[in-house]
Amino acid sequence: MRGQSHAGRALLDVRRLAAIDMYGRHGSTRRRRLILAEFVLAAIDVPLLGLAMFLAASSALPALLGAYLIGVGLNYVPLALHAISMSRASRLDAELADVDVPAELKQHAARQPFIGIPMLVLVLGTAQVAVR
């Protein structure tokens, strides 16, 4: 899977981030399923944990941590939706047909921390779907 790299694209292409994470180095079915499960579970469990912490908080720090977890967990919603749409190998392969996967993997680690910025991936993912 070689071709165009991420150059010239948005700072964070949420669909591409999900695709590269699902594909990994070799594009195995096992990895695709594990990443799909990770995204779906994180989209559900992390916001619920944050909500529980927020509601049970008796001071500002636990409430802020709960709110942070809600925002970070919501970042997994567009990743999970993209992963579901690319869960079949043929769809993932089509998504990465013109991509230099090894080059993208090198940049992948630099893009991962964006998931830790509450609501950023959710907002970017929503905006990118609206433009497509």
Side-chain angles (χ1 to χ4, degrees):
M1 303 228 163
R2 299 205 182 266
Q4 299 286 331
S5 76
H6 197 62
R9 298 182 66 92
L11 173 64
L12 181 68
D13 182 331
V14 178
R15 186 168 178 85
R16 178 70 57 84
L17 182 65
I20 291 296
D21 209 0
M22 288 178 74
Y23 191 84
R25 294 188 193 280
H26 307 292
S28 73
T29 301
R30 180 173 184 250
R31 180 177 177 94
R32 190 171 57 252
R33 289 180 183 156
L34 286 172
I35 297 300
L36 172 63
E38 172 194 347
F39 288 166
V40 170
L41 290 173
I44 296 167
D45 293 346
V46 176
L48 286 177
L49 175 63
L51 182 62
M53 288 181 70
F54 183 82
L55 294 175
S58 58
S59 65
L61 188 59
L64 286 173
L65 180 58
Y68 173 79
L69 287 174
I70 292 168
V72 169
L74 291 175
N75 279 339
Y76 281 93
V77 171
L79 293 169
L81 293 173
H82 286 306
I84 290 167
S85 75
M86 294 182 290
S87 61
R88 288 197 348 242
S90 61
R91 288 192 179 171
L92 182 59
D93 291 343
E95 182 68 28
L96 297 173
D98 295 328
V99 175
D100 183 351
V101 173
E104 289 281 328
L105 280 169
K106 289 178 185 175
Q107 297 172 6
H108 185 68
R111 293 188 301 259
Q112 286 289 88
F114 287 114
I115 295 172
I117 301 171
M119 306 288 287
L120 177 66
V121 177
L122 176 66
V123 170
L124 290 175
T126 302
Q128 289 166 7
V129 167
V131 171
R132 287 181 192 216

